[in-house]
Amino acid sequence: MKWLIGICLSLFLLCPLYGQAYQNRTSDGFRDMSWDETLNEVRKTRNIEFHHHNDSYNFDVYSSNLRVDESKFLAGRPILDNTLILGFWHDQLIMVGVPFADQGNDYLIMVAALTQIYGEPEYGGDALYWNNGKSQYAIQKADQVFLVLIISTNFAEKVFEETIQRGW
């Protein structure tokens, strides 16, 4: 689990990511979660566990098991350990990381699915990025595991504003 969270943070810290995902829903967010939803609001529908705090961005990382009534798949691929990685900034949901085991061609199938939906990816470092105009998704592979990371657009704007206020 620490390894997956490390990948998630490396994607976040090394690359400027913004995104809104609306997987399985019509509003902005991921599944039953909405961007900017508070930690307590997410706790009402999910069991989550705190992992660590990033002081640089005032960013808390949690994990959550998928609920019994929730699909254990994304784009037809099984989610690793039925776990989501959740990021909260100033007590608001800003990020969802979805880990996968790369069994066979799962990574390539996920890349193809994202490419079919969002077009050709941009390449940055060891990750691929897609932008649908309002959203950006990232995918990074290491060994036999890969992570799809989705970050709220509002988060990127707020971090930029806060950084300016700090004088950086």
Side-chain angles (χ1 to χ4, degrees):
M1 179 58 73
K2 287 182 182 182
W3 182 84
L4 289 174
I5 292 170
I7 288 176
C8 181
L9 281 178
S10 69
L11 273 174
F12 171 73
L13 295 174
L14 296 176
C15 306
L17 303 176
Y18 347 110
Q20 291 176 314
Y22 24 85
Q23 182 68 33
N24 301 334
R25 60 181 294 147
T26 58
S27 63
D28 294 335
F30 183 83
R31 294 193 172 177
D32 67 329
M33 298 175 284
S34 297
W35 298 132
D36 298 332
E37 193 171 356
T38 68
L39 179 60
N40 285 333
E41 289 171 328
V42 173
R43 279 194 169 135
K44 288 178 185 176
T45 60
R46 295 182 174 275
N47 292 323
I48 60 176
E49 178 183 333
F50 176 78
H51 281 276
H52 64 278
H53 178 79
N54 179 304
D55 289 325
S56 299
Y57 294 96
N58 198 23
F59 175 97
D60 292 328
V61 177
Y62 291 79
S63 66
S64 173
N65 290 328
L66 297 172
R67 294 187 320 267
V68 173
D69 65 338
E70 188 172 13
S71 173
K72 310 301 186 248
F73 295 85
L74 182 66
R77 312 292 11 121
I79 297 171
L80 183 64
D81 295 330
N82 295 323
T83 300
L84 298 176
I85 299 166
L86 308 175
F88 289 87
W89 184 75
H90 291 292
D91 194 41
Q92 294 180 324
L93 180 67
I94 52 87
M95 176 190 73
V96 176
V98 186
F100 298 90
D102 188 18
Q103 300 171 348
N105 292 321
D106 285 350
Y107 173 80
L108 295 175
I109 291 168
M110 184 64 72
V111 168
L114 288 166
T115 300
Q116 182 177 9
I117 296 168
Y118 302 114
E120 290 299 315
E122 296 179 28
Y123 299 89
D126 56 353
L128 300 173
Y129 302 92
W130 290 264
N131 191 332
N132 71 357
K134 298 187 312 183
S135 307
Q136 192 170 49
Y137 298 79
I139 187 170
Q140 182 179 30
K141 183 177 183 210
D143 296 322
Q144 296 299 312
V145 178
F146 64 95
L147 179 72
V148 173
L149 185 64
I150 309 140
I151 297 179
S152 166
T153 299
N154 292 334
F155 167 67
E157 294 168 0
K158 291 174 185 177
V159 166
F160 181 72
E161 290 170 11
E162 187 174 274
T163 301
I164 289 173
Q165 290 174 356
R166 288 185 189 171
W168 294 6

